[in-house]
Amino acid sequence: MTSPKPPWRHHYIPQFLLEKWAVDEGCLWQFTRSRHSVHAARKFPKAFGYEKHLYAIPGLPADRAQVLETGFFQHVDNAAAAVLAMLLGERPIAWQRPERSAWSRFVMSLWFRTPENLGLWKAAMAELLLRPDDDIRRRYDAMRDDGEAATFGEAMALVNPDWAEAVSMQLLSKFVDDPDRGGRLNAMIWETCEIRSGEHFLISDQPLIMTDTIGHEDAHIVLPISPTRLFVAAAHQRTIDNLKTHDAGTIVDEINEMVAGQARLFVGAVDQTARPLIDEYFGRLENRGIMARMVARYRQREVEAGR
């Protein structure tokens, strides 16, 4: 029997989430931006929100190169899809540890898995893996024979020219599933808020709205999970209570400005009503997520070290 081919569509925004906006005969509107304008097209969720072989590990055989997609992200998404059905249900969720961990793991995956953030992750890991290290140099020199590569990095490049990227991809699942960040997220107050204003929330390739860290008392994370519902995680109940005091239309507009402003590849919508807002805000906001801050921090250290 022939083994099934590994999937080549690697969804950074999974279909189970995009499907909540696909209310027009199974389709939603995808907005993309060229240099001078925004374009709209009506599409099925399967047709976008992915990149070919996005999570493939370079240098591995074809049957193993997709292990991050098939062995990790597919499991993350399958478990999160079941939780999303509960979040959108009519009954309050009696959170159990497996469901809570499954959802926090999915939320944390959105910090890393989009093409822009994945590129930043690879850059951050390259800063670490390719940085000169005196201890590694001494250890390698002690075992190196005459005629072999002069440095550890050169030796690794002979085995796999993309070794630093391969290592970063193999480490990615450990950072997505980091127990420290996951514990802090699990300890936050979680709630879903239904907002009905006659307008709808947008979705994009960068849908998470969050504070710089999740470790202070005003920390919060907001994620649109349907055209009318938000998932909110907050360190303090007053943050959620304050959100609920705002006018529904104002909430939708402010969330949509952020979701569209953070977008790099697409904005999704149930219709074209929000086209003026998308035209104005698409891609206007700087990436201030975890990965962008990590790369900036590493590069600043390099500057301070005079490298």
Side-chain angles (χ1 to χ4, degrees):
M1 181 179 293
T2 304
S3 299
K5 292 183 178 180
W8 55 268
R9 284 189 180 97
H10 294 181
H11 278 83
Y12 47 88
I13 301 298
Q15 295 178 65
F16 77 81
L17 186 58
L18 292 176
E19 285 169 357
K20 305 311 172 188
W21 277 260
V23 298
D24 183 6
E25 297 181 335
C27 292
L28 67 159
W29 284 89
Q30 178 212 35
F31 296 84
T32 55
R33 189 181 66 176
S34 64
R35 186 174 181 180
H36 299 295
S37 60
V38 173
H39 308 276
R42 185 170 165 270
K43 292 190 175 184
F44 291 103
K46 184 179 180 179
F48 68 102
Y50 72 86
E51 190 171 297
K52 291 182 178 181
H53 304 297
L54 179 61
Y55 308 122
I57 301 174
L60 291 184
D63 61 339
R64 293 172 51 206
Q66 310 289 355
V67 67
L68 189 60
E69 167 68 8
T70 60
F72 183 70
F73 281 121
Q74 285 187 2
H75 295 293
V76 169
D77 291 347
N78 289 340
V83 178
L84 180 61
M86 297 167 61
L87 288 170
L88 296 177
E90 298 300 324
R91 297 180 179 179
I93 297 179
W95 287 104
Q96 302 296 321
R97 183 172 179 176
E99 290 79 14
R100 199 170 182 91
S101 294
W103 187 250
S104 63
R105 191 175 294 113
F106 171 67
V107 170
M108 290 190 296
S109 81
L110 295 175
W111 297 344
F112 296 88
R113 67 191 289 179
T114 64
E116 181 179 37
N117 287 340
L118 185 61
L120 290 168
W121 164 256
K122 293 177 183 178
M125 289 297 99
E127 295 281 353
L128 291 177
L129 294 169
L130 300 176
R131 179 182 299 168
D133 185 285
D134 290 338
D135 184 53
I136 290 178
R137 179 183 57 78
R138 284 192 297 268
R139 290 170 181 265
Y140 181 73
D141 286 346
M143 62 183 293
R144 182 172 69 91
D145 293 329
D146 291 341
E148 292 185 335
T151 68
F152 174 74
E154 291 174 5
M156 291 297 294
L158 291 173
V159 178
N160 180 1
D162 301 311
W163 72 273
E165 179 179 345
V167 171
S168 71
M169 294 299 287
Q170 290 169 327
L171 289 173
L172 184 60
S173 62
K174 296 184 182 299
F175 276 74
V176 170
D177 206 12
D178 177 66
D180 179 56
R181 279 190 294 267
R184 279 182 281 163
L185 179 52
N186 283 340
M188 298 173 84
I189 300 166
W190 292 7
E191 195 165 324
T192 57
C193 302
E194 185 162 14
I195 311 293
R196 294 192 177 274
S197 69
E199 299 177 345
H200 297 103
F201 292 117
L202 302 173
I203 188 71
S204 78
D205 59 285
Q206 299 276 9
L208 276 182
I209 301 168
M210 59 183 294
T211 48
D212 286 348
T213 68
I214 58 172
H216 57 80
E217 64 176 14
D218 293 322
H220 61 268
I221 295 172
V222 178
L223 173 67
I225 57 173
S226 86
T228 59
R229 285 202 189 183
L230 298 174
F231 166 77
V232 183
H236 200 285
Q237 182 64 43
R238 67 169 174 266
T239 302
I240 298 174
D241 294 340
N242 183 55
L243 173 68
K244 293 178 178 179
T245 64
H246 286 72
D247 172 73
T250 300
I251 294 173
V252 174
D253 286 345
E254 290 182 354
I255 295 297
N256 285 347
E257 288 170 11
M258 293 288 289
V259 170
Q262 295 175 161
R264 296 296 183 266
L265 300 173
F266 77 85
V267 176
V270 299
D271 53 32
Q272 296 201 63
T273 304
R275 178 66 183 263
L277 182 147
I278 296 170
D279 286 342
E280 180 177 358
Y281 286 96
F282 196 135
R284 302 298 184 190
L285 297 180
E286 179 185 3
N287 187 338
R288 297 181 65 247
I290 286 175
M291 291 315 310
R293 296 196 304 274
M294 181 184 291
V295 172
R297 185 166 62 248
Y298 288 162
R299 288 177 176 166
Q300 182 59 35
R301 289 175 182 172
E302 293 293 301
V303 170
E304 293 171 353
R307 296 193 177 105

